Amino acid sequence: MKVAVVGAGIGGLCVAVGLQRNGADVTVFERSDRVRAGGSGLSIFGNGLRALESLGLREQFEAITSPEAATYRSGQRRPDGRWLATIPPDAVSDLRIVHRTDLHHMLLAQLQPGTLRCSMEVIGAHSDGIVRIRHTPGSASEQDFDLVVAADGLHSGFRARWGRDPGVRYAGYSAWRGITSTPVDLQGEAGETWGEQMRFGVAPLADGRVYWFGVATMPRRRPLSAPYEYAELNRMFGTWHSPIPELIRTTEPEAVSFLPIDELAGDLPSYRHGRCVLLGDAAHAMTPNLGQGGGQAMEDAATLAALLSPIAAGVNPDERTIDSILNSYDKARRPRTQALARRSRRLGTLAHVRGRSRTAVRDLLLQTTPPSALRSQLKRTQDWHPPEVAAVPRRMSSPSGRCEPALLHRHKSRLGG
Ligand SMILES: Cc1cc2nc3c(=O)[nH]c(=O)nc-3n(C[C@H](O)[C@H](O)[C@H](O)COP(=O)(O)OP(=O)(O)OC[C@H]3O[C@@H](n4cnc5c(N)ncnc54)[C@H](O)[C@@H]3O)c2cc1C
């Protein structure tokens, strides 16, 4: 089957790899002139790891990360360095920290040559799979696909065109992110430090350098000059416990990025429309408080690739078959991703409570939460497995090579969660 993937972010590349491995004829359209990963890090938890495994990417992913990050003491600290809560190590034993650039390179290396088409912006798609593409700069053309996967991110044009777009809203806080230019010894401690309406997170990369982020409540604003942002960062976090000042000092000002945190303003009623389907941030852009946005994009990709596997290598897939698969995808992905987006928002509200007394109550809450409650919450978040899809016996395929719709109802699925 012919599949157009719109957007070469984590979600688009993961689904492209999975579908291509299953025999689909995949084209990835990216409007930028190259794939932009952004110079920061990403936490991937056990669920993301299982999604990558299902896509046949676990080994490649393990090669660019280190399991050592999972052995670090983690949790929440106060700005003076005292621990408020420690995450039970067994709850995050599959945690990996990856440099986004490494992840993108790894994913791109798995695609067949010619799959990725840069400087091509998809400016429209009919629900029957006809896609309109603008070649930048220059003319536009139309191409026909069996399926269109819209992995076009937070500001998805597809979502907007479907007419049920809740829009995007500012979470009330913004983030600076960076990676130190040299290795820094974290002495086995990572995690987050929570102050009043501010927090700082630290995560070790496989090569010894450190990915960090600072988050603060503020009115929404645009990124300003590198020296300005660097000075702001130092003003806010420069007196916090070690190694926070050192991490900022060992990061080049030009390597610090500032980003207002936006999320989808409400739940979508469906992730599909005709032969088009939303994936990743386009469907469920969430605040980064749980570190799950990328992991959910990976789960989406693994789910869609698995559900389509019986028909991916065929031609002219049956309309009803596609319909049934996309409904299954929607049913599997919407409840879980929307619930996680809500939980992530609530965590952000807790982290950014205003006023000394509320901050003290929040800290007390963190100190008195039993490790068993933390463990079960983290395990629940990561408790995801790809759908099990029964292979279609060859003799039961239709003479045209299409998969009969009835066969697809045999899917034994362990969907969502
Ligand atoms: C501060 C911060 C920290 C985060 N930390 C984590 C973390 O630790 N762990 C985690 O799992 N997640 C994290 N996330 C979330 C994660 O970054 C996102 O969920 C993930 O990158 C989304 O990937 P995507 O492929 O859906 O979208 P994107 O990465 O936005 O990709 C969309 C792509 O589509 C392209 N595009 C858009 N429109 C068109 C068009 N019309 N035609 C062609 N191309 C188009 C864009 O150019 C872009 O390349 C974090 C997010 C933020 C903001």
Side-chain angles (χ1 to χ4, degrees):
M1 67 186 293
K2 272 186 80 184
V3 184
V5 175
V6 185
I10 296 168
L13 292 177
C14 280
V15 79
V17 172
L19 291 172
Q20 202 163 62
R21 289 200 167 171
N22 289 338
D25 174 5
V26 182
T27 307
V28 181
F29 297 104
E30 169 54 52
R31 70 176 167 197
S32 300
D33 58 355
R34 75 197 86 126
V35 172
R36 292 175 204 274
S40 66
L42 200 68
S43 310
I44 296 298
F45 290 85
N47 54 309
L49 215 55
R50 272 189 297 283
L52 289 168
E53 182 162 6
S54 162
L55 291 162
L57 292 167
R58 169 104 184 219
E59 203 180 302
Q60 296 87 333
F61 184 72
E62 296 281 14
I64 55 169
T65 57
S66 159
E68 207 187 311
T71 65
Y72 277 49
R73 184 177 185 187
S74 182
Q76 279 94 6
R77 282 198 259 188
R78 287 170 24 145
D80 63 8
R82 254 194 298 156
W83 285 91
L84 292 165
T86 300
I87 293 175
D90 62 303
V92 285
S93 53
D94 286 333
L95 173 66
R96 302 286 184 275
I97 314 295
V98 66
H99 195 307
R100 285 180 188 252
T101 308
D102 292 345
L103 176 61
H104 275 74
H105 282 158
M106 182 277 276
L107 293 172
L108 282 170
Q110 312 306 312
L111 291 176
Q112 289 163 15
T115 305
L116 176 66
R117 314 289 299 278
C118 284
S119 301
M120 290 205 166
E121 182 179 13
V122 174
I123 51 174
H126 299 286
S127 55
D128 59 3
I130 295 174
V131 165
R132 190 161 172 77
I133 304 139
R134 179 163 50 213
H135 310 242
T136 35
S139 56
S141 64
E142 284 193 347
Q143 287 184 35
D144 200 355
F145 291 91
D146 298 314
L147 175 69
V148 183
V149 182
D152 52 345
L154 170 71
H155 298 285
S156 168
F158 272 79
R159 201 180 63 226
R161 281 190 288 271
W162 288 2
R164 292 174 291 183
D165 186 2
V168 166
R169 79 167 152 232
Y170 178 51
Y173 39 87
S174 298
W176 294 265
R177 288 180 290 172
I179 291 177
T180 60
S181 46
T182 50
V184 175
D185 183 3
L186 293 175
Q187 303 190 333
E189 294 182 333
E192 293 196 12
T193 300
W194 287 15
E196 185 185 332
Q197 298 201 294
M198 285 153 66
R199 63 203 151 111
F200 199 95
V202 172
L205 291 169
D207 63 3
R209 289 184 299 159
V210 177
Y211 160 55
W212 57 259
F213 54 87
V215 189
T217 301
M218 65 176 78
R220 197 179 200 289
R221 68 164 173 83
R222 287 173 185 279
L224 296 169
S225 70
Y228 177 88
E229 299 297 358
Y230 199 66
E232 273 294 276
L233 198 57
N234 269 302
R235 185 178 68 77
M236 292 196 176
F237 302 102
T239 58
W240 285 24
H241 68 80
S242 174
I244 292 173
E246 187 191 349
L247 293 175
I248 298 173
R249 243 191 345 265
T250 46
T251 306
E252 298 294 331
E254 292 70 28
V256 175
S257 64
F258 173 82
L259 185 75
I261 302 298
D262 292 324
E263 62 171 336
L264 210 59
D267 288 348
L268 284 169
S270 174
Y271 287 176
R272 60 155 307 196
H273 180 65
R275 284 179 177 237
C276 304
V277 67
L278 294 173
L279 182 145
D281 276 10
H284 44 68
M286 59 185 75
T287 55
N289 307 312
L290 287 176
Q292 276 290 340
Q296 292 309 303
M298 291 170 180
E299 285 186 17
D300 290 348
T303 303
L304 193 58
L307 291 173
L308 286 166
S309 59
I311 60 164
V315 288
N316 299 326
D318 178 87
E319 188 75 43
R320 281 176 302 159
T321 305
I322 296 247
D323 204 50
S324 149
I325 289 175
L326 298 190
N327 281 341
S328 296
Y329 169 79
D330 180 56
K331 198 169 155 212
R333 299 306 302 148
R334 215 156 30 85
R336 174 165 163 83
T337 49
Q338 293 178 343
L340 283 173
R342 280 193 289 277
R343 268 187 49 209
S344 188
R345 190 177 313 132
R346 281 200 298 273
L347 187 61
T349 306
L350 179 73
H352 287 260
V353 287
R354 189 176 177 179
R356 272 198 184 177
S357 52
R358 284 191 191 146
T359 304
V361 171
R362 178 205 68 191
D363 288 356
L364 191 65
L365 189 76
L366 287 173
Q367 278 173 306
T368 52
T369 302
S372 56
L374 260 180
R375 179 187 287 110
S376 69
Q377 201 171 63
L378 276 158
K379 289 210 160 176
R380 219 169 1 124
T381 303
Q382 298 171 81
D383 185 18
W384 177 87
H385 298 270
E388 288 173 7
V389 178
V392 179
R394 261 180 202 291
R395 64 180 194 288
M396 292 177 81
S397 294
S398 71
S400 64
R402 296 176 189 177
C403 177
E404 296 297 342
L407 296 176
L408 293 158
H409 295 300
R410 294 185 173 191
H411 292 172
K412 193 178 114 210
S413 34
R414 272 201 289 162
L415 302 172

